[in-house]
Amino acid sequence: MDAIQLLKNDHQAVKELLTELADTTSRAVKRRTTLLREIHLNLHAHTTIEEEIFYPAYKEAGDKEQAKMYFEALEEHRAAEDLVLPDLLQTDPSSEQFSGRAKVLKELIEHHVQEEEQDMFKQARSLLDKATLQELGEQMAQRKQEVIKEWKSAKAE
C-alpha cells in the first residue's frame, strides 16, 4: 500500500472513532473511556509516522509552499495531541465538559484531515513518484506496528 492510501485509511478509522465518541451520552462512561483509548493510540501512531517519515519526504520533495504546509501540519498535530487530547483525557467521561472537548477534538482532526487530503496528498502525488510512495508506505506500515507495540507494552507496565 502506498503512503497516501495508508494515511487515508488511518484518517477514516480515526474519524469513525471520533464520530462514535461524539454520539455517546454522558451515561456511556465505559464506552467513552474505551473509545478515547483507541483514539489516543491511533492518533499517536498516525502522527508519529507522518512526522517521522511522510512529512519530511513531502517537504524535501517540494519548495516553500510545501515547507509552509509541513510546519502548519506539525502545529495542528501539536494542537490536537498536546493541548486538546490531554485535556479530554483528564476530563470526567460522565460530564458535559467531556462532550464539548470531544467535539472540539473531532472538529480539529476533521479540519486537519481535509487539508491533508485535498492539498498535501494531491501535491505529494505530483512531487513523489509511485515507487517512492510505495516505499514510504512500507516504511510507515512497519513503523506504525512498532509504535503500536511500544505503546501497548508501555501501557501494560
Side-chain angles (χ1 to χ4, degrees):
M1 178 180 316
D2 83 1
I4 293 170
Q5 191 57 54
L6 185 146
L7 295 174
K8 282 184 171 183
N9 291 351
D10 281 0
H11 288 169
Q12 186 60 38
V14 169
K15 284 183 355 185
E16 287 172 9
L17 289 168
L18 286 164
T19 297
E20 192 175 341
L21 182 66
D23 290 344
T24 61
T25 66
S26 58
R27 292 179 39 205
V29 173
K30 193 173 184 180
R31 186 71 190 133
R32 281 180 167 185
T33 304
T34 301
L35 284 167
L36 191 53
R37 194 176 315 118
E38 285 183 59
I39 290 165
H40 193 187
L41 170 59
N42 278 279
L43 283 178
H44 175 69
H46 178 79
T47 59
T48 299
I49 63 173
E50 276 188 330
E51 291 176 8
E52 290 181 0
I53 301 168
F54 185 75
Y55 287 176
Y58 167 81
K59 182 178 167 233
E60 189 174 311
D63 57 23
K64 285 182 181 178
E65 181 183 350
Q66 284 72 37
K68 181 181 173 192
M69 193 170 288
Y70 164 85
F71 287 112
E72 182 180 323
L74 289 177
E75 284 306 306
E76 288 176 349
H77 282 184
R78 191 178 74 80
E81 273 204 299
D82 297 346
L83 303 172
V84 178
L85 186 58
D87 273 354
L88 184 57
L89 290 165
Q90 300 287 325
T91 305
D92 178 356
S94 67
S95 70
E96 288 305 315
Q97 201 173 26
F98 184 94
S99 298
R101 289 180 178 168
K103 184 175 189 233
V104 168
L105 180 65
K106 181 177 185 283
E107 290 171 353
L108 189 62
I109 299 296
E110 287 174 345
H111 167 78
H112 177 71
V113 164
Q114 182 180 19
E115 281 188 343
E116 279 189 348
E117 291 186 1
Q118 289 182 354
D119 299 327
M120 183 183 276
F121 293 174
K122 285 180 181 175
Q123 292 173 7
R125 283 228 187 268
S126 65
L127 293 167
L128 303 163
D129 62 29
K130 285 185 180 188
T132 302
L133 287 170
Q134 190 69 34
E135 185 180 317
L136 288 171
E138 290 166 16
Q139 291 172 19
M140 290 162 58
Q142 181 179 345
R143 179 66 179 125
K144 183 178 174 184
Q145 292 310 310
E146 291 169 5
V147 170
I148 290 169
K149 187 177 176 182
E150 291 166 5
W151 174 281
K152 289 183 176 177
S153 68
K155 295 294 180 190
E157 291 173 359

